[in-house]
Structures are given as structure tokens and as C-alpha cells.
Amino acid sequence: MRSLEVALGNRSYPIYIGENLLADSGALLGQLIDARQALIVTNDVVAPLYADRLRAGLLDHCARLEGLVLRDGEEHKSLDTMALILDALVEQRMGRDGCLIALGGGVTGDVAGFAAATYQRGISFIQVPTTLLAQVDSSVGGKTGVNHPAGKNLIGAFHQPSAVLADLDTLTTLDERQYRAGLAEVVKYGLIIDAPFFGWLEQASTALNARDPAVLAQAIERCCMIKSDVVAQDEQERSGLRVLLNLGHTFGHGIERAMGFGGWLHGEAVAAGMVMAAQMSARLGWLEEAEVSRIVRLLQFLGLPIAPPPVGAAKLLDHMRLDKKNRHGQLVLVLLQEIGSAIVTQDFDEGALMQTLAAAEP
Ligand code: NAD
Ligand code: GLY
């Protein structure tokens, strides 16, 4: 097992990564739960696969252990679902010392974390991520929230978990598209901040495609290290550092919205978005064409899209204008200076953007 820490003073917390960790959850998390009341929140896909294993691990460590099974899907990352969780907490008379445990992908972690952030003004929660995306990104860093009909993640709070437990065994049941969507976020870390990691991913790409557990453990650990470091320095996205984690996301959110949520997975849209950010950076004269080709080659080898769907440049731009990062009506983009070095900027030639968006013309 590998373990690392998100260093946030007295709110620091461990991330455990390894095989068979659900069975070991009592030894790893028992002290944190400390004979208190706990609620496992999961969904109807993950519950039959993993809830019993987690429950068995934790049972002896809780005064009372309950479960709540939500409906699967991004469309259920909503205030209504959050209300269901809050109702369950009230019904169980959970005290302020209670603990909520989110077992599932990013949707479960985000909505359950948001409920934990608000119930009695905040109770502790533990992330048990079961998708690759959740293990490398959403379970770490304390962004919690739900969608609003007007936009994704519009309502939420920063609320750090008290531990993250990433069991690699859970990734074996993840379907191929979901797994590859998680790989897009893995590549993102190399691109924004860690050129040697990007090079390592190129070498390891065949093993990653085969879900080799040893290679996956290394990749997940590296991503969590980078994310922990970024979060420790810029927890609430104030200094401009954490915003770099959004490479490819403005283009990607545009694609997701243009396709209707669910049409393209988030990671698929981010992959095409990272290629667009790279191409635009090359048009601006910042990134070498050879580097763009490396990015395209790696994402393509990992089975990810490397171009936007033919939704039309104007439509894509309209959707990108709704991005939360934008300031004073102006697009804010994360772009690349080289592999391993990203910047956030509002200052770019509009022509380079329009030429890049032309890739989305039918
Ligand atoms: P998800 O939670 O919808 O999971 C994807 C699918 O896989 C779902 O159908 C889920 O039920 C299923 N699943 C989960 N674990 C499984 C397993 N082990 N085996 C088989 N099936 C499994 O989606 P996701 O990709 O994990 O997360 C996406 C969400 O995360 C989005 O809502 C996004 O906004 C959010 N997100 C949040 C952050 C953050 O910092 N909080 C960062 C990135 C993304
Ligand atoms: N996934 C972006 C962030 O956590 O800031």
C-alpha cells in the first residue's frame, strides 16, 4: 500500500492507495471513525459490487453503521439528491461527531461531500473513490457540490475529507469508456506540471491500457501527489495555481454542454479539450508542433478522442462562455507553454481561438 498526505495544517489527511483496501478499511479508517455513528452513501451500481466489503471492514469500528443507496448518474448530482442524504442524516439523528462515507465515483463523492459540508454546518466525511477519475482527481482537494439546471457544479462548498481510501481492485469492474475517461485526467497532470511524468506515461501506456495494477498504483500515486501539492498551496483556487487543473476543461465543458450531459463523458471531453488547448498554444507560438503531436499520440493510444465533435464553432464558443472561470465576460483559458508547464490567461489572440474552434465545424 502507498500512502501520502494532503498537508493542510490541522485539516491534513491521508490518501491510501493499494489493492484490497476495502477489506482493510477498519485498520486504516477505524481510528478516524472512532466508535461514532457513520453513514455509507453509495449508488445502485456500486452498492452491489462493494458496499458489503466496506461495511464488513468498518462495522466493528462504528457505534452504528447505516447505508444509503442513491440512483446512478450525473443527472442525480442535484439538490434533490442532496436533500435525500440530509433527510437520512436527520432520520438517523446523526450528531455533529458523525461521519459520512462516500463510496463511488465523482458524482457520489461530490454530492455526499456537499451534504457533509452542510449538515449541522459540517460533519466529517471520508472518500472511498471507485472510478479512476475519482481516485486521481475528485476525491482529493475538497471540492464538493451539485449541478443546477443552468450549469455544472454551480452550487457547492470547499469541505476537505478526513481521509481518502483508493482501492485499486475496484477499477477492475469499471467499464472501458469510464476507465479511459479517467486516463485523460491522468495525462492532464503530466501536461500541466510534470514533464517527466508525461514521458513516463508514454512509456507506460501499453501497461495502462491493460490496467496493470502496479503501473496504475504508480500513476495514481503521482497524480494524487501533484494534486495534494497544488491543493496545499492553493486550497480555494485563489492564487491561480489550482486553476491549472482545469487544462482542457473550458473546451471540454463546451463540448459536454453542446452534446448534452451524458453524450460525451467528462474525461473524453477533457481529452479533446486538451488537444484544442495544445493546438491553440501552438498557434500562439508558445508550444512546439512536435509537442502537440506527442500529446495527440498519447491520448489516441489511450483510446481517447483527439478532436471535438462536429457541433459547430459558434455553438461551442457559446457554451464555453458559460464557464465559471470567465471574468468580466471574457474567456479565461489554461494553455500550454510546453509539456509540463501550463499558464492561465485572458490575454490571447482571438484569431488563434477561432481557428482552433474551427475543428468543431460540421
Ligand atoms: P460517476 O461517479 O458518474 O461514475 C461513472 C460511472 O461508473 C457511474 O455509472 C458509476 O456508478 C460507475 N462506477 C463507479 N465505480 C464503479 C466501479 N468500481 N465499477 C463499475 N462501475 C462503477 O463519474 P466519475 O467519472 O467518477 O466522476 C465525474 C464527476 O466528478 C462529475 O460530476 C464531475 O463534475 C466530478 N468531478 C469533481 C471533481 C472535484 O474536484 N470535486 C473533479 C473532477 C470531476
Ligand atoms: N478538478 C479540479 C480541482 O479539483 O480543482
Side-chain angles (χ1 to χ4, degrees), residues 6 19 48 52 61 94 128 134-135 151 176 246 256 261 277 288 316 342:
V6 183
E19 292 172 65
D52 281 350
H61 298 270
M94 178 82 80
V128 185
Q135 296 191 352
E176 198 59 21
N246 290 304
E256 281 181 271
F261 285 111
E288 309 239 342
L316 198 53

Side-chain angles (χ1 to χ4, degrees), residues 43-47 49-50 71-74 77 103-110 127 129-145 147 152-153 167 169-175 178 181-182 185 188-189 211 227 242 245-246 249 253 256 265-267:
N43 76 18
D44 51 13
V45 170
V46 177
L49 296 169
Y50 301 113
R71 290 173 69 192
D72 179 41
E74 181 75 39
K77 190 173 139 179
L103 170 70
V107 167
T108 304
D110 279 13
Q127 290 271 20
T130 61
T131 63
L132 181 57
L133 181 142
Q135 296 191 352
V136 298
D137 191 354
S138 64
S139 65
V140 176
K143 278 190 183 175
T144 72
N147 301 327
K152 225 173 118 76
N153 298 328
D167 186 336
D169 295 342
T170 61
L171 301 181
T172 55
T173 51
L174 206 55
D175 82 34
Q178 296 287 356
E185 302 282 0
K188 175 190 79 178
Y189 288 105
R211 303 193 199 194
K227 181 141 190 194
R242 185 163 180 168
L245 297 173
N246 290 304
H249 284 58
H253 284 158
E256 281 181 271
L265 297 179
H266 175 72

Side-chain angles (χ1 to χ4, degrees), residues 38-174:
L39 172 69
I40 297 175
V41 176
T42 184
N43 76 18
D44 51 13
V45 170
V46 177
L49 296 169
Y50 301 113
D52 281 350
R53 231 182 281 177
L54 181 62
R55 200 180 154 72
L58 294 178
L59 202 54
D60 289 346
H61 298 270
C62 305
R64 198 169 132 199
L65 181 61
E66 304 284 346
L68 177 67
V69 179
L70 305 172
R71 290 173 69 192
D72 179 41
E74 181 75 39
E75 66 277 24
H76 298 295
K77 190 173 139 179
S78 63
L79 282 173
D80 286 347
T81 301
M82 172 158 158
L84 287 179
I85 303 173
L86 294 174
D87 286 348
L89 291 167
V90 171
E91 221 166 86
Q92 288 158 25
R93 298 177 195 282
M94 178 82 80
R96 286 198 73 185
D97 64 345
C99 182
L100 196 154
I101 299 158
L103 170 70
V107 167
T108 304
D110 279 13
V111 64
F114 189 32
T118 57
Y119 179 70
Q120 298 202 9
R121 298 199 182 86
I123 58 170
S124 71
F125 88 113
I126 292 171
Q127 290 271 20
V128 185
T130 61
T131 63
L132 181 57
L133 181 142
Q135 296 191 352
V136 298
D137 191 354
S138 64
S139 65
V140 176
K143 278 190 183 175
T144 72
V146 295
N147 301 327
H148 183 276
K152 225 173 118 76
N153 298 328
L154 280 188
I155 307 163
F158 285 100
H159 186 55
Q160 299 293 340
S162 32
V164 178
L165 185 133
D167 186 336
L168 297 169
D169 295 342
T170 61
L171 301 181
T172 55
T173 51
L174 206 55

